[in-house]
Amino acid sequence: MTEINGLKDSAAIAGIGATEFSKSSGRSEMRLACEAVQAAIADAGLQPSQIDGMVTFSADTNPEIEIARNLGIGELSFFSRIHHGGGAACGTIQQAVLAVNSGVADYVVCYRAFNERSGRRFGTGVQDRPPSPTAEMAHFSWYSPFGLLTPAQWVAMFARRYMHEYGATSEDFGAIAVADRKHAATNPSAWFYEQPITLEDHQSSRWIVEPLHLLDCCQESDGAQAMVVTTPERARDLAQPTVIVNNAAQGAGVDQDMMTSYYRPSITGLPEMGLIARQLWNTTGLGPDDIQTAVIYDHFTPLALPQLEEFGFCARGEAKDFIKDGAIEIGGRLPINTHGGQLGEAYIHGMNGIAEGVRQVRGTSVNQVPGVEHALVTAGTMVPTSALVLGVDR
Amino acid sequence: MTTTTPTTEDEKAAFLAKLKAYEGRTYGPPMRGPDPVNQAMIRHWVEAIGDENPVYVDPDAAARSVHGGIVAPPVSLQAWVMRGFRPAASATSDVQDEIMSLLNGAGFTSVVATNCEQEYFKELHVGTHLSTTTTVESISEEKATGLGVGHFLTTLVRYTDEHDDLVATMRFRILKFKPGTGRSATQAKTDAEPATRPPRPRPAVTQDNAFFFEGAQQHKLLIQRCSSCGRLRHPPGPACPSCRSYDWDTVEASGKATVYSFVVNHYPQVPSFDYPLAVGLFELEEGTRLVANFVGVEPDAIEVGMPVQVEFVEHDAELTLPAFRPVQVTA
Amino acid sequence: MTFNATGLRYDDVDVGDELPPLDLPLTRSLIVATAIASRDYQDVHHDPGLAQERGSKDIFMNILSTNGFVGRFVTDWAGPDAVLKKVSIRLGAPNYPGDTMRMTGSVTKKADGLVEVAVRGANGLGDHVSGTVTLELPRD
């Protein structure tokens, strides 16, 4: 691939909308999806009938046609879904960018809605998935019979090796959790609003899967998040300050597995994220020094570290030093997850992180970083994934 | 067994209504214990329990006491109506069976006794012949408990004697829960009849990976090898990433490996496994890696880089899997 | 601890009194013998292989025996003239062979000739049993 493309600054996020984030929404996933989509359309200052494209995750249970029917959206000329769980988040935006640039749609809504806490929880494991002879199910054959069943367990295998090779410690992972919870504590939308933690809290929380403590793992959440994507020209006529998508990118690495890329020569990096970083930096002409704040995917703390390395904020193995002394908290070199992240705000499969990136560029975050020109947002780790850079309109 | 778990609020309400219909129902006609309270069985009981209270076995001491004669320990109440070693087919009740199959069918397959409350109104004198009547007192709505999501079933057993006088009551509460849904499953195997342990999750067997599991069945650790260029690969697949050949065979690994990484699972606890459960990523001396369990080592003693040797664990008739045991390194 | 042959009278007892602790070594023989003596022939109480198949790490004590030890623990302290009126227990961690259950208790209530004792039996895994026993003691 060229790692250069014509999509630089070619789209904007014109509206964001979400439901409340909770542990029991008391409503159907379909209703959550409708509420978030409707809120995003209203935030943009559009009418539902103006929406002509929709994108979601293949993991989502809410068909775009159902939402279109319920909200009176009407005709859709573009619809698409992205696979690979939380890796899809920024990929949905990339689909929308492609669509509005090629002209197949003018206003595209990207959404994700689930009752991931009160309904089917990922954290309970995959032991009941039927052993049907498809490639996706055969993948689990190398893990489930041995009791390696949950995302936390798959991630922990990687974390242990990372600690072994780079001397990172559980306290280093804890620094991510402490920063996220500090930011969540001042975000009224966050599940852990007004509940900051200390490193001691992190260290004394129970084991989920060694080397991960409970506070290394995001809580599971009910909720929905949606965004409206259009061209910058159209966005400038709408209700909100224009937030430019400097670019979005997807990546699957060499010898990529879904959550268990254990067979590469080294398993301490995230080559798929490295591929995305190359694309984003090469296409936008930006680099780590141009980023004032980032939303780093944090379903589990350990994988935040190699993401910082893959994007070049620090050298390989040195993220544990980069994040020290509050560098990733408000006031530090690179405040991350200013909404509280998935550890602190809610686990909405990375989509709520994109919304926070939008708020930082608009200047409306509850934990606003001063002088934001560009914000980086990443999606799921250890899966084929995606990321994007947002920027102010010049 | 096919299970249809109620998930929507409507389904849950309908399921609860079915359960609630059993409240107040009785487990069939009264059941009479096989023998009246007698000295021989009291003696067995107090000997086993180590209870030295003379009022249970010494007629003189018993006569001098407030009991006025030999009594059985009140806490032996249930023993007098136990079904015994070879219970008759009629020993179970339709109502009980129906409730259990309703709960099992909805996925609430595990059971644990949580509370037992006995109240005594008359003493168990020698000669007392007990009968019981069991009534379903309440079935709770779905509750999230430490063990898992489930329903509490509370029964009230009335113990009457040969004169139909009420001797005692026992309120007994069990939790029927879905295995693996608990907040803290550390006490999943508690004091009750544990549900039958489910087998380990099955591998999804395809034409590309069947050799591995068939090999394990014969205690062979097989690695897929490209017949064209000789490259070893795991997990296996239909084509060689190096030379694109679809031709492959297998080689048997020596079984010598090192620990490349490992985890120790604490939560969630799935009933097919024992916890804490160590799972390793092992690098074979042939160069490929695979995930498997450990044998012969406590989780605390595992280290990255530790040399290990493969063994095979027969989990059940259909599933044998490799596992790795640390080897002593002699200097 | 041995049985209190003299026995307690109602006036001997005060709220806050502690019962002499009882350490009960949970031998395999004890678990099997008490299960059989209570006519409980479920395999999980005597057959380690079948107990493991059913998801338990070993055989474990049945509930009737737990009640038996709770009763014994209280009457060991109270003596031959105590009459148990109510035993209410909550069940927790199983009693497996090789462990020890330490039983402790204290008087929590006293009224109208009735005494309430809070009882706890803890093993290496945690509380096996906790609850209350209400007994009647002679008043004169």
Side-chain angles (χ1 to χ4, degrees):
Chain A
M1 96 206 57
T2 62
E3 297 176 13
I4 294 288
N5 61 47
L7 298 174
K8 180 189 176 190
D9 303 345
S10 65
I13 297 180
I16 57 175
T19 62
E20 82 289 359
F21 305 130
S22 73
K23 297 203 172 186
S24 183
S25 72
R27 328 204 267 299
S28 68
E29 294 185 330
M30 188 63 211
R31 175 161 171 179
L32 296 180
C34 287
E35 288 180 12
V37 168
Q38 190 169 25
I41 295 169
D43 184 60
L46 290 165
Q47 293 302 314
S49 57
Q50 291 174 272
I51 301 299
D52 52 2
M54 299 189 82
V55 188
T56 188
F57 295 45
S58 61
D60 204 274
T61 64
N62 308 293
E64 53 284 86
I65 51 174
E66 291 288 341
I67 298 171
R69 175 186 299 119
N70 275 277
L71 297 183
I73 284 174
E75 295 177 332
L76 294 175
S77 55
F78 174 70
F79 31 91
S80 176
R81 298 194 195 185
I82 309 291
H83 207 47
H84 306 301
C90 301
T92 64
I93 304 292
Q94 190 197 38
Q95 288 289 299
V97 170
L98 290 162
V100 298
N101 270 279
S102 62
V104 299
D106 293 339
Y107 300 99
V108 178
V109 179
C110 304
Y111 65 95
R112 178 78 173 107
F114 55 21
N115 285 325
E116 204 276 324
R117 177 73 180 209
S118 63
R120 169 87 175 121
R121 296 176 64 172
F122 302 155
T124 55
V126 298
Q127 60 275 6
D128 51 359
R129 297 211 181 159
S132 50
T134 63
E136 281 201 334
M137 289 303 121
H139 161 82
F140 292 111
S141 300
W142 309 110
Y143 315 103
S144 298
F146 303 98
L148 206 64
L149 298 163
T150 68
Q153 293 162 2
W154 301 323
V155 167
M157 192 71 84
F158 175 96
R160 172 88 63 186
R161 186 71 198 184
Y162 185 91
M163 294 164 84
H164 175 77
E165 290 192 16
Y166 296 132
T169 63
S170 172
E171 285 87 350
D172 295 328
F173 300 154
I176 303 289
V178 170
D180 275 13
R181 291 289 292 271
K182 177 181 174 179
H183 300 155
T186 52
N187 173 10
S189 300
W191 176 256
F192 286 117
Y193 177 52
E194 294 182 333
Q195 294 177 67
I197 58 165
T198 64
L199 193 57
E200 291 70 36
D201 295 333
H202 171 269
Q203 287 296 297
S204 60
S205 65
R206 65 189 165 94
W207 291 121
I208 294 299
V209 44
E210 295 174 55
L212 302 192
H213 290 278
L214 173 68
L215 292 177
D216 287 307
C217 309
C218 68
Q219 80 288 354
E220 298 182 87
S221 314
D222 287 8
Q225 178 78 58
M227 266 85 56
V228 178
V229 176
T230 187
T231 58
E233 294 72 27
R234 291 193 190 91
R236 287 176 192 123
D237 295 333
L238 297 178
Q240 301 292 343
T242 301
V243 175
I244 300 292
V245 181
N246 298 127
N247 217 340
Q250 288 188 310
V254 175
D255 207 1
Q256 176 83 56
D257 268 277
M258 182 68 185
M259 296 300 291
T260 53
S261 300
Y262 297 153
Y263 313 99
R264 294 163 165 169
S266 165
I267 66 167
T268 52
L270 294 167
E272 51 281 359
M273 209 57 102
L275 164 60
I276 290 166
R278 293 202 309 270
Q279 296 178 76
L280 289 178
W281 296 153
N282 287 343
T283 56
T284 60
L286 300 169
D289 290 343
D290 300 307
I291 302 296
Q292 289 77 40
T293 183
V295 176
I296 302 294
Y297 200 87
D298 60 341
H299 51 354
F300 303 100
T301 57
L303 295 171
L305 277 64
Q307 289 185 77
L308 294 168
E309 296 162 10
E310 296 290 353
F311 276 93
F313 290 103
C314 55
R316 203 165 287 285
E318 292 180 5
K320 64 182 167 52
D321 305 312
F322 177 82
I323 63 174
K324 275 198 187 348
D325 304 323
I328 53 171
E329 298 176 12
I330 285 290
R333 150 70 189 95
L334 182 74
I336 67 165
N337 304 343
T338 47
H339 56 320
Q342 304 195 84
L343 290 164
E345 185 182 62
Y347 172 71
I348 311 294
H349 245 161
M351 291 295 265
N352 50 325
I354 302 174
E356 176 64 6
V358 170
R359 287 188 292 266
Q360 283 289 355
V361 173
R362 286 182 182 176
T364 60
S365 170
V366 293
N367 292 309
Q368 184 63 43
V369 174
V372 171
E373 300 211 347
H374 299 283
L376 169 70
V377 182
T378 70
T381 42
M382 283 179 67
V383 293
T385 186
S386 55
L388 55 78
V389 179
L390 301 174
V392 293
D393 191 20
R394 293 175 195 280
Chain B
M1 179 170 57
T2 54
T3 62
T4 40
T5 304
T7 45
T8 68
E9 290 308 313
D10 285 353
E11 284 166 2
K12 282 186 181 174
F15 182 67
L16 184 61
K18 270 193 212 172
L19 289 174
K20 288 276 183 194
Y22 285 97
E23 288 184 353
R25 298 271 308 267
T26 295
Y27 285 4
M31 305 232 309
R32 194 174 198 218
D35 296 296
V37 173
N38 62 83
Q39 181 66 78
M41 206 172 118
I42 295 174
R43 193 180 306 282
H44 283 304
W45 172 282
V46 298
E47 278 188 14
I49 296 288
D51 196 327
E52 294 169 12
N53 193 338
V55 304
Y56 302 142
V57 288
D58 179 339
D60 295 336
R64 284 196 304 273
S65 75
V66 296
H67 309 282
I70 296 281
V71 288
V75 286
S76 69
L77 183 67
Q78 279 177 282
W80 303 101
V81 295
M82 287 295 278
R83 291 177 292 163
F85 188 36
R86 298 179 195 283
S90 61
T92 58
S93 95
D94 291 346
V95 170
Q96 187 177 14
D97 290 347
E98 285 168 29
I99 295 172
M100 291 303 153
S101 65
L102 197 56
L103 287 163
N104 289 336
F108 303 100
T109 51
S110 292
V111 63
V112 62
T114 61
N115 300 82
C116 174
E117 184 182 304
Q118 298 181 343
E119 198 163 357
Y120 316 109
F121 306 103
K122 285 179 79 175
E123 294 214 80
L124 298 174
H125 286 282
V126 168
T128 302
H129 204 156
L130 291 175
S131 296
T132 61
T133 309
T134 303
T135 308
V136 179
E137 195 173 68
S138 66
I139 302 178
S140 78
E141 60 187 24
E142 190 178 296
K143 303 268 192 188
T145 77
L147 289 171
V149 173
H151 293 269
F152 287 99
L153 168 65
T154 308
T155 51
L156 184 69
V157 188
R158 287 167 55 86
Y159 290 80
T160 50
D161 63 13
E162 62 279 13
H163 311 297
D164 277 340
D165 287 346
L166 184 65
V167 174
T169 57
M170 178 173 74
R171 186 170 280 113
F172 200 82
R173 183 170 300 136
I174 63 169
L175 172 67
K176 284 285 284 177
F177 65 99
K178 276 184 203 167
T181 59
R183 287 190 300 271
S184 141
T186 50
Q187 294 190 359
K189 299 161 201 158
T190 54
D191 200 351
E193 305 169 39
T196 301
R197 162 175 267 189
R200 285 188 169 214
R202 306 282 102 172
V205 177
T206 72
Q207 287 93 332
D208 302 327
N209 69 15
F211 76 90
F212 180 90
F213 298 100
E214 287 161 9
Q217 211 65 11
Q218 297 157 34
H219 292 205
K220 289 180 181 170
L221 182 60
L222 300 181
I223 312 173
Q224 191 183 36
R225 175 175 61 186
C226 174
S227 311
S228 175
C229 72
R231 173 171 166 166
L232 300 178
R233 55 186 200 255
H234 185 88
C240 174
S242 298
C243 73
R244 283 76 173 170
S245 169
Y246 289 94
D247 298 326
W248 55 269
D249 59 8
T250 61
V251 288
E252 186 176 351
S254 72
K256 288 192 179 68
T258 54
V259 176
Y260 191 76
S261 189
F262 71 99
V263 302
V264 182
N265 297 343
H266 293 264
Y267 179 86
Q269 301 204 341
V270 174
S272 314
F273 301 92
D274 287 324
Y275 293 86
L277 173 69
V279 187
L281 177 61
F282 299 96
E283 187 158 282
L284 301 181
E285 70 171 356
E286 291 82 1
T288 58
R289 294 184 203 134
L290 81 161
V291 164
N293 296 117
F294 288 86
V295 285
V297 61
E298 290 299 315
D300 287 352
I302 299 169
E303 288 173 13
V304 173
M306 186 180 250
V308 291
Q309 174 68 39
V310 79
E311 290 184 10
F312 287 87
V313 180
E314 295 176 6
H315 294 286
D316 54 57
E318 290 136 28
L319 187 67
T320 297
L321 294 172
F324 289 83
R325 180 186 291 276
V327 292
Q328 299 297 326
V329 185
T330 47
Chain C
M1 161 173 137
T2 51
F3 183 72
N4 177 359
T6 317
L8 297 173
R9 324 299 286 177
Y10 183 69
D11 291 340
D12 298 338
V13 175
D14 288 311
V15 171
D17 285 358
E18 296 208 350
L19 280 64
L22 171 63
D23 285 323
L24 199 66
L26 302 170
T27 63
R28 197 168 286 280
S29 300
L30 181 82
I31 288 165
V32 175
T34 53
I36 302 303
S38 57
R39 288 177 51 76
D40 187 339
Y41 297 94
Q42 286 192 71
D43 47 37
V44 291
H45 305 310
H46 62 258
D47 186 325
L50 290 173
Q52 279 169 19
E53 273 183 31
R54 293 179 195 282
S56 180
K57 75 164 190 180
D58 203 335
I59 63 165
F60 55 92
M61 182 179 284
N62 68 333
I63 298 168
L64 278 76
S65 302
T66 301
N67 270 321
F69 286 111
V70 168
R72 174 192 152 189
F73 174 63
V74 172
T75 52
D76 273 2
W77 163 73
D81 288 323
V83 180
L84 298 193
K85 292 295 185 185
K86 197 172 170 184
V87 173
S88 177
I89 60 168
R90 185 185 163 85
L91 296 155
N95 270 343
Y96 290 123
D99 206 343
T100 297
M101 177 166 71
R102 183 177 183 83
M103 302 194 72
T104 53
S106 62
V107 177
T108 50
K109 222 186 273 178
K110 196 185 158 191
D112 305 326
L114 294 180
V115 172
E116 187 189 275
V117 178
V119 176
R120 184 173 164 224
N123 61 31
L125 300 172
D127 279 356
H128 166 70
V129 59
S130 58
T132 57
V133 176
T134 308
L135 62 156
E136 187 176 44
L137 289 177
R139 300 205 70 161
D140 46 285

